[in-house]
């Protein structure tokens, strides 16, 4: 994925695209017997929030399958392993530890896949361990933004400023890193909210 981050107004088609893609992913991963949740995450999952037009998806797995097995399964529905724009691109092979939970280093391991990067079905698939705090944080953050329009709007303003600052970048790695400032500021708030909210 090259070029700077370009934010677009919220599109109601994003959740519909996510649902279609998650259904495909669920079908091809079912025989592996390791996947236990399938989520539409990221800014495209929050109504009213501007976003890059890449639908972010998350699958949690009890263990990461062998690369060849996982890659073959996901290739059948158009997902290919991401390599990152740079050797240190964030979030490709592992997540940076954050939040209040202390877990072994190996829990932060992940796999990242992309589909139709420059096309109308552009999407990113994060495969995280079920034990990963990030797997919970992404869902809590999404739901917290949905439940708090004022926080959603603050995040939108922050992202717009970050995108403008990095408008001349060759990729959106530094835009992604810039958003860490916002996450750091609200981590305790959305994490506390996520732990306390009623479970369905």
């Amino acid at each position: 994925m090259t070029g700077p981050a370009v934010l677009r107004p919220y599109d109601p088609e994003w959740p519909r695209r996510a649902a279609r893609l998650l259904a495909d992913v669920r079908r091809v991963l079912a025989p592996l017997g390791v996947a236990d949740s399938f989520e539409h995450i990221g800014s495209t999952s929050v109504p009213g929030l501007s976003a890059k037009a890449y639908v972010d998806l998350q699958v949690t797995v009890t263990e990461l399958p062998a690369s060849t097995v996982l890659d073959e399964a996901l290739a059948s529905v158009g997902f290919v392993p991401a390599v990152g724009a740079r050797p240190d691109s964030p979030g490709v092979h592992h997540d940076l530890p954050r939040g209040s939970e202390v877990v072994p280093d190996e829990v932060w391991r992940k796999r990242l896949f992309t589909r139709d990067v420059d096309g109308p079905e552009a999407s990113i698939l994060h495969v995280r361990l079920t034990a990963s705090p990030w797997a919970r944080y992404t869902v809590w953050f999404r739901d917290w933004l949905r439940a708090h329009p004022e926080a959603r709007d603050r995040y939108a303003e922050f992202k717009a400023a970050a995108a403008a600052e990095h408008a001349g970048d060759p990729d959106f790695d530094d835009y992604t890193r810039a958003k860490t400032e916002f996450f750091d500021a609200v981590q305790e708030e959305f994490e506390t909210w996520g732990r306390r909210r009623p479970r369905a």
Side-chain angles (χ1 to χ4, degrees):
M1 294 173 285
T2 59
V6 177
L7 302 181
R8 293 183 169 85
Y10 178 78
D11 185 345
E13 177 58 27
W14 289 337
R16 291 192 280 269
R17 186 199 312 172
R20 291 195 303 270
L21 293 172
L22 285 173
D24 287 344
V25 170
R26 183 188 297 267
R27 174 173 50 81
V28 299
L29 292 187
L32 304 186
V34 294
D36 61 10
S37 75
F38 300 81
E39 300 278 359
H40 179 198
I41 60 169
S43 293
T44 61
S45 69
V46 180
L49 184 58
S50 58
K52 301 188 305 295
Y54 294 90
V55 168
D56 273 286
L57 311 172
Q58 175 177 274
V59 174
T60 60
V61 293
T62 53
E63 60 182 87
L64 284 172
S67 294
T68 52
V69 173
L70 187 59
D71 294 0
E72 181 178 355
L74 291 174
S76 68
V77 287
F79 284 95
V80 298
V83 294
R86 313 179 201 174
D88 63 344
S89 289
V92 176
H93 301 293
H94 61 85
D95 288 315
L96 293 177
R98 67 175 304 112
S100 65
E101 296 183 54
V102 178
V103 296
D105 287 345
E106 60 266 22
V107 170
W108 303 105
R109 292 181 300 122
K110 65 178 289 192
R111 294 292 310 284
L112 189 69
F113 296 82
T114 60
R115 183 182 188 277
D116 195 29
V117 171
D118 296 313
E121 295 285 299
S123 54
I124 300 171
L125 173 63
H126 305 257
V127 180
R128 292 184 166 106
L129 290 166
T130 304
S132 170
W134 262 93
R136 289 180 285 286
Y137 297 157
T138 56
V139 173
W140 290 347
F141 183 63
R142 176 200 69 192
D143 292 349
W144 178 72
L145 290 177
R146 287 175 175 176
H148 297 85
E150 74 288 350
R152 177 201 63 197
D153 293 346
R154 280 191 289 122
Y155 186 41
E157 292 175 5
F158 185 94
K159 292 202 308 172
E165 181 179 353
H166 295 283
D169 290 4
D171 54 53
F172 47 77
D173 278 14
D174 288 337
Y175 163 80
T176 299
R177 291 187 177 94
K179 290 191 297 181
T180 300
E181 180 182 339
F182 186 87
F183 300 146
D184 288 346
V186 301
Q187 175 79 38
E188 183 177 357
E189 186 175 353
F190 81 73
E191 189 178 339
T192 299
W193 179 87
R195 294 186 188 285
R196 290 178 177 172
R197 67 177 178 163
R199 293 297 183 258

